């Protein structure tokens, strides 16, 4: 097998907060051996470590608004040029605005994956409003190993603690009800136009995110495998 035969290229995951992007990105990352690049996770890590970026982003994240591009774009450029991204990567939570998508297009024009150019495969995970609310208000995660639970649909075996390591589960500050409505509004206002942006480019694949986790993963795998050849430029 030649090096270029194993390149996957960039995969972009779109979907409202709570659509399951994080869960699916982890499955895809494992299946294809490429890293999950979650801008939300990188920002939260920076907040937890008290870096300069984290200090600037903290209040914005806690209000459920988008962190400004002059902080997010250099952070993404730095992450995507790391060695583990050379065969491809799955972006989860980026781009979130048309401006970020245009930046990503320009960034990818100058990039090769194992010697081959790729255009991103874009997958939109669609979930209805009520289902999103239930998923976001019910989400709990383990701060030690990042396992994700939902008190309604995927509760831990023992209430409030991680099945794997016994750590007390936590609720993200921005998963509190008052912040959730701000996040969903900013999604509709700023991120939904991206669906049209990629549709016009003929690159959008849409998947019903209310199917089971495994069904959604299977559909994503076939979309990525089906597009790998077509996606290369
Ligand atoms: P997420 O984990 O993707 O829901 O992101 C959590 C929060 O991080 C968002 O509500 C934003 O405040 C911030 N964030 C994540 N990704 C981006 C992005 N691409 N652009 C701006 N802000 C972002």
């Amino acid at each position: 097998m030649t090096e270029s035969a194993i390149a996957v290229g960039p995969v972009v995951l779109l979907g409202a907060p709570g659509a399951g992007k994080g869960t699916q990105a982890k499955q895809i990352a494992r299946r294809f051996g490429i890293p999950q690049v979650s801008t939300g996770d990188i920002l939260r890590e920076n907040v937890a470590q008290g870096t300069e970026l984290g200090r600037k982003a903290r209040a914005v994240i806690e209000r459920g608004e988008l962190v400004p591009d002059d902080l997010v774009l250099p952070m993404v450029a730095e992450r995507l040029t790391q060695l583990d991204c050379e065969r491809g990567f799955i972006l989860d939570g980026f781009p979130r605005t048309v401006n970020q998508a245009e930046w990503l297009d320009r960034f990818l024009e100058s990039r090769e994956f194992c010697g081959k150019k790729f255009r991103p495969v874009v997958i939109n995970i669609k979930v209805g409003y009520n289902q999103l609310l239930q998923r976001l208000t019910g989400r709990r995660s383990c701060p030690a190993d990042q396992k994700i639970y939902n008190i309604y649909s995927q509760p831990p075996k023992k209430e409030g603690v991680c099945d794997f390591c016994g750590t007390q589960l936590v609720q993200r500050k921005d998963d509190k009800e008052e912040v959730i409505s701000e996040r969903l509004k900013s999604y509709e206002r700023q991120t939904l136009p991206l669906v049209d942006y990629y549709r016009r480019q003929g690159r959008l694949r849409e998947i019903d995110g209310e199917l089971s986790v495994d069904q959604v993963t299977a559909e994503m795998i076939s979309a990525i495998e089906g597009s790998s050849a077509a996606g290369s430029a």
Side-chain angles (χ1 to χ4, degrees):
M1 198 185 275
T2 63
E3 272 210 314
S4 61
I6 57 165
V8 180
V11 179
V12 168
L13 213 44
L14 297 180
K21 297 192 296 298
T23 303
Q24 292 300 335
K26 284 187 181 64
Q27 308 267 31
I28 295 302
R30 204 172 313 123
R31 168 71 172 73
F32 291 98
I34 55 174
Q36 170 197 10
V37 176
S38 156
T39 43
D41 283 351
I42 301 175
L43 287 164
R44 277 186 291 277
E45 264 165 43
N46 275 274
V47 171
Q49 288 167 6
T51 65
E52 194 189 339
L53 168 62
R55 284 199 300 277
K56 289 179 178 162
R58 181 181 196 138
V60 184
I61 297 173
E62 286 178 4
R63 286 198 300 271
E65 295 167 11
L66 292 187
V67 175
D69 281 354
D70 61 336
L71 298 178
V72 171
L73 298 180
M75 174 188 97
V76 173
E78 201 264 327
R79 178 64 189 91
L80 298 187
T81 39
Q82 285 172 19
L83 212 56
D84 63 338
C85 290
E86 66 177 348
R87 291 178 50 243
F89 45 77
I90 178 153
L91 278 168
D92 152 17
F94 184 93
R96 263 216 179 44
T97 61
V98 171
N99 192 49
Q100 291 182 355
E102 289 171 346
W103 176 91
L104 181 66
D105 280 346
R106 288 194 298 276
F107 179 85
L108 291 175
E109 268 164 32
S110 61
R111 297 269 309 162
E112 291 194 339
F113 297 88
C114 302
K116 215 169 145 192
K117 277 204 177 292
F118 279 83
R119 305 188 75 196
V121 177
V122 183
I123 298 173
N124 184 27
I125 306 181
K126 291 173 68 169
V127 173
Y129 191 81
N130 290 340
Q131 179 70 235
L132 289 175
L133 274 185
Q134 198 190 65
R135 290 188 187 185
L136 290 167
T137 52
R139 177 159 63 184
R140 300 290 183 275
S141 57
C142 171
D145 59 20
Q146 324 315 323
K147 292 275 180 323
I148 298 170
Y149 300 86
N150 189 291
I151 55 170
Y152 305 114
S153 55
Q154 252 188 316
K157 291 194 187 91
K158 184 170 171 230
E159 196 184 323
V161 296
C162 179
D163 290 348
F164 297 89
C165 65
T167 304
Q168 193 73 32
L169 300 179
V170 295
Q171 182 177 33
R172 275 170 48 173
K173 272 196 178 152
D174 60 353
D175 278 346
K176 304 258 154 77
E177 250 173 278
E178 53 289 7
V179 187
I180 286 173
S181 81
E182 187 49 50
R183 289 169 66 206
L184 290 174
K185 266 191 246 154
S186 101
Y187 168 75
E188 283 197 5
R189 215 173 35 237
Q190 293 166 286
T191 310
L192 210 51
L194 272 187
V195 172
D196 271 340
Y197 175 86
Y198 285 120
R199 188 178 286 128
R200 278 198 301 275
Q201 295 186 359
R203 275 194 269 159
L204 189 73
R205 307 276 185 291
E206 300 209 86
I207 293 180
D208 176 0
E210 297 193 25
L211 298 172
S212 73
V213 170
D214 288 347
Q215 281 173 301
V216 175
T217 307
E219 293 212 10
M220 287 185 53
I221 291 171
S222 78
I224 294 166
E225 289 180 339
S227 303
S228 285
S232 57

